[in-house]
Amino acid sequence: VEQEVLEALPKTYILTCEHDVLRDDGIMYAKRLESAGVNVTLDHFEDGFHGCMIFTSWPTNFSVGIRTRNSYIKWLDQNL
């Protein structure tokens, strides 16, 4: 992606999880956005795994799912 395309992007929230094959891609993308001057929030969860945010209701109400969901909702409340 061209630098001028990145520069035109709005505030961005990126959530990464330690146990996710896409972790490094998310971190690298956040760094590229920061370099382009985009206001970016990178939220990393050491105990997270890919898709953990959907595990928020019984019988799969995992604490990491609830924490990732709450973190994202908090960011939305503060930034939209």
Side-chain angles (χ1 to χ4, degrees):
V1 177
E2 300 295 327
Q3 184 74 9
E4 54 271 3
V5 173
L6 294 176
E7 292 169 356
L9 292 174
K11 287 182 182 180
T12 304
Y13 178 87
I14 297 175
L15 185 149
T16 57
C17 294
E18 187 64 25
H19 308 289
D20 186 347
V21 68
L22 299 174
R23 176 197 65 213
D24 294 343
D25 295 300
I27 294 167
M28 288 187 293
Y29 185 51
K31 288 179 182 179
R32 287 192 66 198
L33 290 174
E34 286 176 349
S35 294
V38 175
N39 182 337
V40 60
T41 299
L42 174 61
D43 222 353
H44 183 76
F45 290 82
E46 289 291 327
D47 59 341
F49 54 90
H50 187 85
C52 65
M53 191 183 287
I54 66 169
F55 295 100
T56 59
S57 59
W58 191 89
T60 58
N61 54 332
F62 300 155
S63 65
V64 68
I66 294 166
R67 286 185 285 113
T68 56
R69 180 197 61 199
N70 290 346
S71 181
Y72 181 51
I73 290 172
K74 180 180 176 184
W75 185 89
L76 289 171
D77 285 341
Q78 294 173 344
N79 292 280
L80 296 182

